[in-house]
Amino acid sequence: MADLKSNFLGISSPNPFWLASAPPTDKEYNVRRAFDAGWGGVVWKTLGAEGPPVVNVNGPRYGAIWGADRRLLGLNNIELITDRPLQVNLDEMTRVKKDYPDRALIASIMVPCDEQSWKDILPRVEDTGADGIELNFGCPHGMAERGMGSAVGQVPQYIQMVTEWCKMYYSKPVIVKLTPNITDIRFPARAAKAGGADAVSLINTINSITSVDLDNMAPEPTIGGKGTHGGYCGPAVKPIAMNMVAEIARDGETRGLPISGIGGVTTWRDAAEFMALGAGNVQVCTAAMTYGFKIVQEMISGLSQWMDERGYTSIDQFVGSAVPNVTDWQYLDLNYVTKAKIDQDACIKCGRCYAACEDTSHQAISMSADRVFEVMDDECVACNLCVNVCPVEGCITMEQMAPGAIDPRTGKTVEADYANWTTHPNNPSAKAAE
Amino acid sequence: MTSPTTPGIAAGRLSAAELANNFDDLHPPLDRHEAVVAADRCYFCHDAPCMTACPTSIDIPLFIRQIMTGTPEAAARTILSQNILGGMCARVCPTETLCEEVCVRETAEGKPVEIGRLQRFATDTLMNSGVHPFARAGVTGKTVAVVGAGPAGLSCAHRLAMHGHDVTIFEARGKAGGLNEFGIASYKSTDDFAAREIGWLLQIGGITIETGRALGNGLDLDTLQAEFDAVFLAVGLGGVNALRAAGEDKAGVTDAVDFISDLRQSSDLTTLPVGRNVVVIGGGMTAVDAAVQSKLLGAENVTIAYRRGPDRMGASKFEQDLAASKGVKILFNAMPVAVHGNGAATEIELEYTEDTGSGLKGTGETFRLNADQVFKAIGQTLTTDAGLTIDAGKIAVTGAGRTSKAGVWAGGDCASGGDDLTVTAVAEGRDAAEDIHATLMGKG
């Protein structure tokens, strides 16, 4: 069985699955149970400054969207940082870390954007024995209205400034948690690096309204007839998160900066994908909130089995492996030609490929009177929509045309050589082909 | 107090509580959660096979999607606009040989979307709210006589009424409903559903039902034609085929349809007699309905004897399995030769059969079964031809139910073509109504 041991920023944990800073990590009771269930690490629910704790709403805090069979696909929340006294959290963290020395324990922090606030809290966090800190520059709701959370994360200069204070007043690794509620994730990541961050973690939640109560004409979750935007997470945000992780992993200025991947990780495969795109470990929240702490057992067994099958003996061997293959559109090979192919034995004859292609794509699938669906290669542009709408996995595949063959759609010979837009004759800015 | 082993034909073999449990809904209704979960499985197929398989061409993917999005009332409209008896069809359709048989999830997983139960959920939701979703067009002044208040007649009448015609239904029995009311196993139509559905259907207005009026018994086609602008015959098949076995006249040998009818109309099943040893002759749905209900009433031994093999049996595999699960034994390739007994039946003698390729014949090997009650379920026959051309024992029709006489249409079991199913009858009644409407309005 593959060794899942993780050594992220020198912080060791038995596996790369950490629980993200969120309701599941709000207190000692939960965190002990999470560790007992097998989680490799925990980022404690975000601590605020000394003083009266924040208060949460007393109506609903979460909204959701669902897929078939009410499977939860996306969750949003308007919960704030911990609403328990600072010292209670610090005491609990100290006890937990002492009892679970092999697990990673990270303190998430969100205090006002002034040096003194950070200077005050950091030594107290250091005293807990936690393995590092994560700066919550991400939460887009509530605290952002008070100049914290994503309000900081949206201003690269502030990110750099606060990161510098943390590196000054704290001796262990500093992870900067980024908000996705920006235009280009590379700028805050560069600022974190410039401030001396040991790593970035992303994504925090996305601003969202999940649904509208049409009886009361109010966004949900509805509090006394009103609602506000909340932070969106869960499987639905994974594609957005993975793109942002990849952008940082392949950016010239931030390449090599350790990344903790967050955003809709639900299964071992999600974790492997984030890690292939450059995340050294992953943080999980919604999956645990949906199914409980036990899901980590599937993540551990699945990742381990996959690594064994692929011959990986440690996670470092595949972290970032997909990054070199993330490129810009302009560099995609225009001589790579595929056609959809329908496996007639696997086909259940639902006709969704036909409806999708006929109504909304390229009219490249034929339908016979006895419901045989076939791809017309002379019309197929290989868009992949039929593959995506087919309910039977593997029934429709995209088959590459061999170089030398004639593409019946264009009448042109499929070229073996790579050629992209930068040299294409239709491109007004094309460079001459070499 | 009697019991399943009480000899002869006796009532009260089971307690009222046991009977109530036995005759409860065969397929209990889905609740809202179950319906949404079941609806989620529909793939919304293009040109869906289920829709093609439905004799009334209900847009099944659309109505299931409407359930999924929380609008079962809209789903009901989708169903009922094609099939006004969609509530009953949801209960009695052999979906396993129609829509659900061709469901792509049957192909994919051997487990179709539960179309019948979803249809029931939608139609029950709407009907329970008391809403009748259709309105009559302006009154045309045209009148139509419908003979028979079964599924075909009711469907035809409703559609004609919608178009603004005034309809009079003449029903031979004392109560409307036809086979829905008298001929279907009790556990498929609980809580007096057939009658409730008719009450709901009649909310359209413009339909009058006269009971106790039968063709050939006070009613004749010429008079109807003289008094009405059009006539639709939906008289069903009132006769029952004979066994053609010696001793058929002995006490205890009766028609399965009468037993089913008595059972449906009974207000206290503890008073309904049934044999200790029941043998049902036949292989269709009626045979299964009679056999299963005999067992549920408390008969000790119930056997269906069918003269051919299982592949030829009219009752679907589901119905055969249902019978088996209730403890009914099905004998294949056996035909009745004689009923024995001194006045009343005590035994039935059967002979094994073989299909010689040129017909079925007895092998000469006979055997006897204890039988104090024998039900004949070997097919039904037309009781009056009303002077019309007959084709293979049924009123010959062409197109949308046109008979050999202009101005007279026919549909349902009495008319040629189509399976003898409620849903087919509904389709034929509806289509004949459209043709009658077009003819009356000068567009036909």
Coordinates of all heavy atoms in Angstrom, one line a residue, chain A residues 341-411:
Chain A
K341 N -17.5 8.5 -31.3 CA -17.9 7.2 -31.7 C -18.8 6.6 -30.7 O -18.6 6.7 -29.5 CB -16.6 6.3 -31.8 CG -16.8 4.9 -32.3 CD -15.5 4.4 -32.9 CE -15.6 3.0 -33.4 NZ -15.5 2.0 -32.4
I342 N -19.9 6.0 -31.2 CA -20.9 5.5 -30.2 C -20.8 4.0 -30.2 O -20.8 3.3 -31.3 CB -22.4 5.9 -30.7 CG1 -22.5 7.4 -30.7 CG2 -23.4 5.2 -29.8 CD1 -23.8 7.9 -31.3
D343 N -20.6 3.4 -29.0 CA -20.5 2.0 -28.8 C -22.0 1.4 -28.8 O -22.7 1.6 -27.9 CB -19.8 1.7 -27.5 CG -19.8 0.2 -27.2 OD1 -20.5 -0.6 -27.9 OD2 -19.1 -0.2 -26.3
Q344 N -22.3 0.8 -29.9 CA -23.7 0.4 -30.1 C -24.1 -0.7 -29.0 O -25.3 -0.8 -28.7 CB -24.0 -0.2 -31.5 CG -23.8 0.9 -32.6 CD -24.7 2.1 -32.5 OE1 -25.8 2.0 -31.9 NE2 -24.4 3.2 -33.1
D345 N -23.2 -1.4 -28.6 CA -23.5 -2.4 -27.5 C -23.8 -1.8 -26.2 O -24.6 -2.3 -25.4 CB -22.4 -3.4 -27.4 CG -22.2 -4.3 -28.6 OD1 -23.2 -4.5 -29.3 OD2 -21.1 -4.8 -28.9
A346 N -23.2 -0.7 -25.9 CA -23.4 0.0 -24.7 C -24.6 1.0 -24.7 O -25.1 1.3 -23.7 CB -22.1 0.8 -24.3
C347 N -24.9 1.4 -25.9 CA -26.0 2.4 -26.1 C -27.3 1.8 -25.6 O -27.7 0.7 -25.9 CB -26.1 2.7 -27.6 SG -27.5 3.8 -27.9
I348 N -28.0 2.7 -24.8 CA -29.3 2.3 -24.3 C -30.5 3.0 -25.0 O -31.6 2.9 -24.7 CB -29.5 2.6 -22.8 CG1 -29.3 4.1 -22.5 CG2 -28.5 1.7 -22.0 CD1 -29.6 4.4 -21.0
K349 N -30.1 3.7 -26.1 CA -31.0 4.3 -27.0 C -31.9 5.4 -26.4 O -33.1 5.5 -26.7 CB -31.9 3.2 -27.7 CG -31.0 2.1 -28.3 CD -31.8 1.2 -29.3 CE -31.0 0.1 -29.8 NZ -29.8 0.5 -30.5
C350 N -31.4 6.1 -25.5 CA -32.2 7.2 -24.9 C -32.3 8.4 -25.9 O -33.2 9.2 -25.8 CB -31.5 7.7 -23.6 SG -29.9 8.6 -23.8
G351 N -31.3 8.5 -26.8 CA -31.4 9.6 -27.8 C -31.0 11.0 -27.4 O -31.2 11.9 -28.0
R352 N -30.4 11.0 -26.2 CA -30.0 12.4 -25.7 C -28.8 12.9 -26.5 O -28.8 14.1 -26.8 CB -29.6 12.3 -24.2 CG -30.8 12.0 -23.4 CD -30.8 12.5 -22.0 NE -29.5 12.6 -21.3 CZ -29.4 12.7 -20.0 NH1 -30.5 12.6 -19.2 NH2 -28.3 12.9 -19.4
C353 N -28.0 12.1 -27.0 CA -26.9 12.6 -27.9 C -27.5 13.2 -29.1 O -27.0 14.2 -29.6 CB -25.9 11.4 -28.2 SG -26.7 10.0 -29.1
Y354 N -28.5 12.5 -29.7 CA -29.2 13.0 -30.9 C -29.8 14.4 -30.6 O -29.6 15.3 -31.4 CB -30.2 12.0 -31.4 CG -31.0 12.5 -32.5 CD1 -30.4 12.3 -33.8 CD2 -32.2 13.1 -32.4 CE1 -31.1 12.8 -34.9 CE2 -32.9 13.5 -33.5 CZ -32.4 13.4 -34.8 OH -33.1 13.9 -35.8
A355 N -30.6 14.5 -29.6 CA -31.3 15.7 -29.3 C -30.3 16.8 -29.1 O -30.5 18.0 -29.6 CB -32.1 15.6 -28.0
A356 N -29.2 16.6 -28.4 CA -28.2 17.6 -28.1 C -27.5 18.0 -29.4 O -27.3 19.2 -29.6 CB -27.2 17.1 -27.1
C357 N -27.1 17.1 -30.2 CA -26.4 17.4 -31.4 C -27.3 18.1 -32.4 O -27.0 19.1 -33.0 CB -25.8 16.1 -32.0 SG -24.6 16.5 -33.3
E358 N -28.5 17.5 -32.6 CA -29.4 18.0 -33.6 C -29.9 19.4 -33.2 O -30.0 20.3 -34.1 CB -30.6 17.0 -33.7 CG -31.6 17.3 -34.9 CD -30.9 17.0 -36.2 OE1 -29.9 16.4 -36.3 OE2 -31.5 17.5 -37.2
D359 N -30.3 19.6 -32.0 CA -30.9 20.9 -31.6 C -29.9 21.9 -31.3 O -30.1 23.1 -31.5 CB -31.8 20.7 -30.3 CG -33.1 19.9 -30.6 OD1 -33.3 19.6 -31.8 OD2 -33.8 19.6 -29.7
T360 N -28.8 21.5 -30.7 CA -27.9 22.6 -30.2 C -26.4 22.5 -30.6 O -25.6 23.3 -30.2 CB -27.9 22.5 -28.6 OG1 -27.2 21.3 -28.2 CG2 -29.3 22.5 -28.0
S361 N -26.2 21.6 -31.5 CA -24.8 21.5 -31.9 C -24.6 21.4 -33.4 O -25.1 22.3 -34.1 CB -24.1 20.3 -31.2 OG -22.7 20.4 -31.3
H362 N -24.1 20.3 -34.0 CA -23.7 20.4 -35.4 C -24.4 19.4 -36.3 O -24.0 19.0 -37.4 CB -22.2 20.2 -35.5 CG -21.4 21.3 -34.9 ND1 -21.2 21.5 -33.6 CD2 -20.8 22.4 -35.5 CE1 -20.5 22.6 -33.4 NE2 -20.3 23.2 -34.5
Q363 N -25.6 18.9 -35.8 CA -26.4 17.9 -36.6 C -25.5 16.8 -37.2 O -25.6 16.5 -38.4 CB -27.1 18.7 -37.8 CG -28.1 19.7 -37.3 CD -27.4 21.0 -36.8 OE1 -26.6 21.5 -37.5 NE2 -27.8 21.5 -35.7
A364 N -24.8 16.2 -36.3 CA -23.8 15.2 -36.8 C -24.2 13.8 -36.3 O -23.3 12.9 -36.4 CB -22.4 15.6 -36.3
I365 N -25.4 13.6 -35.7 CA -25.8 12.3 -35.3 C -27.1 11.9 -36.0 O -28.0 12.7 -36.0 CB -25.9 12.2 -33.8 CG1 -24.6 12.4 -33.1 CG2 -26.5 10.8 -33.3 CD1 -24.6 12.4 -31.6
S366 N -27.1 10.7 -36.6 CA -28.3 10.3 -37.3 C -29.1 9.4 -36.3 O -28.5 8.7 -35.4 CB -27.9 9.6 -38.5 OG -27.2 8.4 -38.2
M367 N -30.4 9.3 -36.6 CA -31.3 8.4 -35.8 C -32.1 7.6 -36.8 O -32.7 8.2 -37.7 CB -32.2 9.3 -35.0 CG -33.2 8.5 -34.2 SD -34.3 9.6 -33.2 CE -35.5 8.4 -32.6
S368 N -32.1 6.3 -36.6 CA -32.9 5.5 -37.6 C -34.2 5.2 -36.9 O -34.5 5.5 -35.8 CB -32.2 4.1 -37.8 OG -32.2 3.4 -36.6
A369 N -35.1 4.6 -37.7 CA -36.5 4.4 -37.2 C -36.5 3.4 -36.0 O -37.3 3.5 -35.1 CB -37.3 3.7 -38.3
D370 N -35.5 2.5 -36.0 CA -35.4 1.6 -34.8 C -34.4 2.1 -33.8 O -33.8 1.3 -33.0 CB -35.1 0.2 -35.2 CG -33.8 0.1 -36.0 OD1 -33.3 1.2 -36.5 OD2 -33.3 -1.0 -36.2
R371 N -34.2 3.4 -33.7 CA -33.4 4.1 -32.7 C -32.0 3.6 -32.6 O -31.4 3.4 -31.6 CB -34.1 3.9 -31.3 CG -35.5 4.4 -31.2 CD -36.0 4.3 -29.7 NE -35.4 5.2 -28.8 CZ -35.7 6.5 -28.7 NH1 -36.7 7.0 -29.5 NH2 -35.1 7.3 -27.9
V372 N -31.4 3.5 -33.8 CA -29.9 3.4 -33.8 C -29.3 4.8 -34.1 O -29.7 5.5 -35.0 CB -29.4 2.4 -34.9 CG1 -27.9 2.4 -35.0 CG2 -30.0 1.0 -34.6
F373 N -28.4 5.2 -33.2 CA -27.8 6.5 -33.3 C -26.4 6.4 -33.8 O -25.6 5.6 -33.2 CB -27.9 7.2 -31.9 CG -29.3 7.4 -31.4 CD1 -29.9 6.4 -30.6 CD2 -30.0 8.5 -31.8 CE1 -31.2 6.5 -30.2 CE2 -31.4 8.6 -31.4 CZ -31.9 7.6 -30.6
E374 N -26.1 7.1 -34.8 CA -24.7 7.0 -35.4 C -24.1 8.4 -35.7 O -24.9 9.3 -36.1 CB -24.7 6.1 -36.6 CG -25.0 4.6 -36.3 CD -25.1 3.8 -37.5 OE1 -26.0 4.0 -38.4 OE2 -24.2 2.9 -37.7
V375 N -22.8 8.5 -35.5 CA -22.2 9.7 -35.8 C -21.9 9.8 -37.3 O -21.4 8.9 -37.9 CB -20.9 9.8 -35.0 CG1 -20.1 11.1 -35.3 CG2 -21.2 9.8 -33.5
M376 N -22.1 11.0 -37.8 CA -21.8 11.3 -39.2 C -20.5 12.0 -39.2 O -20.4 13.2 -38.8 CB -22.9 12.1 -39.9 CG -24.2 11.4 -39.9 SD -25.5 12.3 -40.7 CE -26.0 13.4 -39.4
D377 N -19.4 11.3 -39.5 CA -18.1 11.9 -39.4 C -17.9 13.2 -40.3 O -17.1 14.0 -40.0 CB -17.0 10.9 -39.8 CG -16.8 9.8 -38.7 OD1 -17.4 10.0 -37.6 OD2 -16.1 8.8 -39.0
D378 N -18.7 13.2 -41.3 CA -18.5 14.4 -42.2 C -19.2 15.7 -41.6 O -19.1 16.8 -42.2 CB -19.1 14.1 -43.6 CG -20.6 13.7 -43.6 OD1 -21.0 13.3 -42.5 OD2 -21.2 13.7 -44.6
E379 N -19.9 15.5 -40.5 CA -20.5 16.7 -39.8 C -19.9 16.9 -38.4 O -20.0 18.0 -37.9 CB -22.0 16.5 -39.7 CG -22.8 16.4 -41.0 CD -22.8 17.7 -41.8 OE1 -22.4 18.8 -41.2 OE2 -23.1 17.7 -43.0
C380 N -19.3 15.9 -37.9 CA -18.8 15.9 -36.5 C -17.6 16.8 -36.3 O -16.6 16.6 -37.0 CB -18.5 14.5 -36.0 SG -17.9 14.5 -34.3
V381 N -17.7 17.9 -35.5 CA -16.6 18.7 -35.2 C -15.9 18.3 -33.9 O -15.0 19.0 -33.4 CB -17.0 20.2 -35.1 CG1 -17.8 20.7 -36.3 CG2 -17.9 20.4 -33.8
A382 N -16.3 17.2 -33.4 CA -15.7 16.7 -32.2 C -15.9 17.6 -31.0 O -15.0 17.8 -30.1 CB -14.2 16.4 -32.4
C383 N -17.1 18.1 -30.8 CA -17.3 19.1 -29.7 C -17.3 18.4 -28.4 O -17.2 19.1 -27.3 CB -18.5 19.9 -30.0 SG -20.1 19.0 -29.8
N384 N -17.7 17.1 -28.3 CA -17.8 16.4 -27.1 C -19.1 16.5 -26.3 O -19.2 15.9 -25.3 CB -16.6 16.8 -26.1 CG -16.1 15.6 -25.3 OD1 -16.0 14.5 -25.7 ND2 -15.8 15.9 -24.0
L385 N -20.0 17.3 -26.9 CA -21.3 17.4 -26.2 C -22.0 16.1 -26.0 O -22.6 15.8 -25.0 CB -22.2 18.5 -26.9 CG -23.5 18.8 -26.2 CD1 -23.3 19.4 -24.9 CD2 -24.3 19.7 -27.1
C386 N -22.0 15.3 -27.0 CA -22.7 14.0 -27.0 C -22.1 13.1 -25.8 O -22.8 12.4 -25.1 CB -22.6 13.2 -28.3 SG -21.0 13.0 -29.0
V387 N -20.8 13.2 -25.7 CA -20.1 12.4 -24.6 C -20.6 12.9 -23.3 O -20.9 12.1 -22.4 CB -18.6 12.6 -24.7 CG1 -17.9 12.0 -23.5 CG2 -18.1 12.0 -26.0
N388 N -20.8 14.3 -23.2 CA -21.1 14.8 -21.9 C -22.6 14.6 -21.5 O -22.9 14.6 -20.3 CB -20.8 16.3 -21.9 CG -19.3 16.6 -22.0 OD1 -18.5 15.8 -21.6 ND2 -19.0 17.7 -22.6
V389 N -23.5 14.5 -22.5 CA -24.9 14.3 -22.1 C -25.3 12.8 -22.1 O -26.4 12.5 -21.6 CB -25.8 15.0 -23.1 CG1 -25.5 16.5 -23.1 CG2 -25.8 14.5 -24.5
C390 N -24.4 11.9 -22.6 CA -24.8 10.5 -22.6 C -24.8 10.0 -21.1 O -23.9 10.2 -20.4 CB -23.7 9.7 -23.4 SG -24.0 7.9 -23.3
P391 N -25.9 9.3 -20.7 CA -25.9 8.8 -19.4 C -25.1 7.6 -19.1 O -24.9 7.2 -17.9 CB -27.4 8.5 -19.2 CG -28.0 8.3 -20.5 CD -27.1 9.1 -21.5
V392 N -24.6 7.0 -20.1 CA -23.8 5.8 -19.9 C -22.3 6.1 -20.1 O -21.8 6.4 -21.2 CB -24.2 4.6 -20.9 CG1 -23.3 3.4 -20.7 CG2 -25.7 4.3 -20.8
E393 N -21.5 6.0 -19.0 CA -20.1 6.4 -19.1 C -19.4 5.4 -20.1 O -19.6 4.2 -20.0 CB -19.5 6.3 -17.7 CG -18.1 6.8 -17.6 CD -17.5 6.8 -16.2 OE1 -18.3 6.4 -15.3 OE2 -16.3 7.1 -16.0
G394 N -18.6 6.0 -20.9 CA -17.8 5.2 -21.9 C -18.6 4.7 -23.1 O -18.0 4.1 -24.0
C395 N -19.8 5.1 -23.2 CA -20.6 4.6 -24.4 C -20.2 5.4 -25.6 O -20.0 4.9 -26.7 CB -22.1 4.8 -24.1 SG -23.1 4.5 -25.6
I396 N -20.0 6.7 -25.4 CA -19.5 7.6 -26.6 C -18.1 8.0 -26.2 O -17.8 8.5 -25.1 CB -20.4 8.8 -26.8 CG1 -21.9 8.4 -26.9 CG2 -20.0 9.5 -28.1 CD1 -22.9 9.5 -27.2
T397 N -17.2 7.8 -27.2 CA -15.8 8.2 -26.9 C -15.4 9.1 -28.1 O -16.0 9.1 -29.2 CB -14.9 7.0 -26.9 OG1 -15.3 6.1 -28.0 CG2 -15.2 6.2 -25.6
M398 N -14.3 9.8 -27.9 CA -13.7 10.6 -28.9 C -12.5 9.9 -29.4 O -11.6 9.6 -28.7 CB -13.3 12.0 -28.4 CG -14.5 12.8 -27.8 SD -15.8 13.1 -29.0 CE -15.0 14.2 -30.2
E399 N -12.5 9.5 -30.7 CA -11.5 8.7 -31.3 C -10.6 9.6 -32.2 O -11.1 10.3 -33.1 CB -12.0 7.6 -32.1 CG -13.0 6.7 -31.3 CD -12.3 5.8 -30.3 OE1 -11.1 5.5 -30.5 OE2 -12.9 5.6 -29.2
Q400 N -9.3 9.5 -31.9 CA -8.4 10.4 -32.7 C -8.3 9.8 -34.1 O -8.1 8.6 -34.3 CB -7.0 10.4 -32.1 CG -6.1 11.4 -32.8 CD -4.7 11.4 -32.1 OE1 -4.4 10.7 -31.1 NE2 -3.8 12.2 -32.7
M401 N -8.2 10.7 -35.1 CA -8.0 10.3 -36.5 C -6.5 10.2 -36.7 O -5.7 11.1 -36.3 CB -8.6 11.3 -37.5 CG -10.1 11.3 -37.5 SD -10.8 12.2 -38.9 CE -10.5 11.0 -40.2
A402 N -6.1 9.1 -37.4 CA -4.7 8.9 -37.6 C -4.1 9.9 -38.6 O -4.9 10.3 -39.6 CB -4.4 7.5 -38.1
P403 N -2.9 10.4 -38.4 CA -2.3 11.3 -39.5 C -2.3 10.6 -40.8 O -2.1 9.3 -40.9 CB -0.9 11.5 -38.9 CG -1.0 11.2 -37.5 CD -2.0 10.2 -37.3
G404 N -2.6 11.3 -41.9 CA -2.7 10.7 -43.2 C -4.1 10.4 -43.6 O -4.4 10.4 -44.8
A405 N -5.0 10.2 -42.6 CA -6.4 10.0 -43.0 C -7.0 11.3 -43.5 O -6.5 12.4 -43.2 CB -7.1 9.4 -41.8
I406 N -8.1 11.2 -44.2 CA -8.8 12.4 -44.7 C -10.0 12.6 -43.7 O -10.8 11.8 -43.4 CB -9.4 12.1 -46.1 CG1 -8.4 11.6 -47.1 CG2 -10.1 13.4 -46.6 CD1 -7.5 12.7 -47.6
D407 N -10.0 13.9 -43.2 CA -11.2 14.2 -42.3 C -12.4 14.5 -43.2 O -12.3 15.4 -44.1 CB -10.8 15.5 -41.6 CG -11.9 16.0 -40.7 OD1 -13.1 15.5 -40.8 OD2 -11.7 16.9 -39.8
P408 N -13.4 13.6 -43.2 CA -14.5 13.8 -44.1 C -15.3 15.1 -43.9 O -16.0 15.5 -44.8 CB -15.4 12.6 -43.8 CG -15.0 12.1 -42.5 CD -13.6 12.5 -42.2
R409 N -15.1 15.7 -42.8 CA -15.8 17.0 -42.7 C -15.1 18.1 -43.5 O -15.8 18.9 -44.1 CB -15.8 17.4 -41.2 CG -16.6 18.7 -40.9 CD -16.7 19.0 -39.4 NE -15.4 19.4 -38.8 CZ -14.9 20.6 -38.8 NH1 -15.5 21.6 -39.3 NH2 -13.7 20.8 -38.3
T410 N -13.8 18.2 -43.4 CA -13.1 19.2 -44.1 C -12.5 18.8 -45.4 O -12.1 19.7 -46.2 CB -11.9 19.7 -43.2 OG1 -11.0 18.6 -43.0 CG2 -12.4 20.2 -41.8
G411 N -12.4 17.5 -45.6 CA -11.8 17.0 -46.9 C -10.3 17.1 -46.9 O -9.6 16.9 -47.9

